[in-house]
């Protein structure tokens, strides 16, 4: 049986907020190196493309971060864990402002999600 869904938070970095963004992402336990985080942060601030900020969160925490983002975050997006803005075939739930994959619909609407 499949585990209930968790969520990833993506955001665009506000120009001039590089230092705070790198600090927060590194301290959140990112799986990539600090050098790679710096590269991603710089590209995001320059190009306005979202980067993965936090992974594998319960719904309440992901929703709270989206509603009250850090000062360096712009355009905060919540995706089903493992999905990304660059991947195709993504659905969007207007009720929960959530991007998800699959044929069963929004995981929050169906109640099949983890809430930490």
């Amino acid at each position: 049986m499949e585990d209930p869904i968790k969520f990833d938070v993506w955001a665009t970095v506000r120009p001039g907020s590089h230092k705070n963004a790198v600090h927060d992402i590194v301290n959140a336990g990112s799986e990539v190196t600090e050098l790679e985080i710096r590269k991603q942060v710089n590209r995001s601030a320059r190009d306005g493309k979202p980067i993965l900020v936090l992974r594998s969160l319960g719904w309440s925490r992901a929703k709270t971060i989206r509603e009250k983002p850090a000062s360096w975050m712009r355009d905060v997006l919540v995706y089903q864990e493992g999905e990304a803005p660059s991947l195709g075939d993504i659905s969007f739930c207007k009720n929960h402002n959530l991007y998800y994959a699959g044929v069963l619909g929004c995981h929050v609407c169906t109640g099949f999600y983890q809430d930490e």
Side-chain angles (χ1 to χ4, degrees), residues 21-113:
V22 170
H23 176 269
D24 287 356
I25 296 169
V26 167
N27 286 336
S30 177
E31 295 175 358
V32 298
T33 66
E34 183 173 340
L35 179 60
E36 182 57 32
I37 291 169
R38 287 181 184 282
K39 289 178 185 178
Q40 291 176 11
V41 164
N42 288 336
R43 279 192 300 263
S44 177
R46 182 188 67 228
D47 301 338
K49 305 268 185 193
I51 59 172
L52 180 60
V53 176
L54 292 163
R55 295 186 49 163
S56 197
L57 305 176
W59 174 245
S60 291
R61 184 155 181 240
K63 190 170 103 172
T64 297
I65 292 166
R66 184 184 60 215
E67 292 169 355
K68 297 177 185 174
S71 62
W72 59 265
M73 291 180 184
R74 184 176 72 184
D75 304 324
V76 180
L77 306 168
V78 178
Y79 277 76
Q80 173 184 335
E81 184 177 33
E83 299 300 328
S86 62
L87 299 176
D89 206 22
I90 299 290
S91 298
F92 180 74
C93 175
K94 289 180 184 179
N95 291 334
H96 296 104
N97 195 14
L98 168 68
Y99 293 89
Y100 64 92
V103 296
L104 299 178
C106 171
H107 302 289
V108 178
C109 287
T110 63
F112 190 68
Y113 65 95

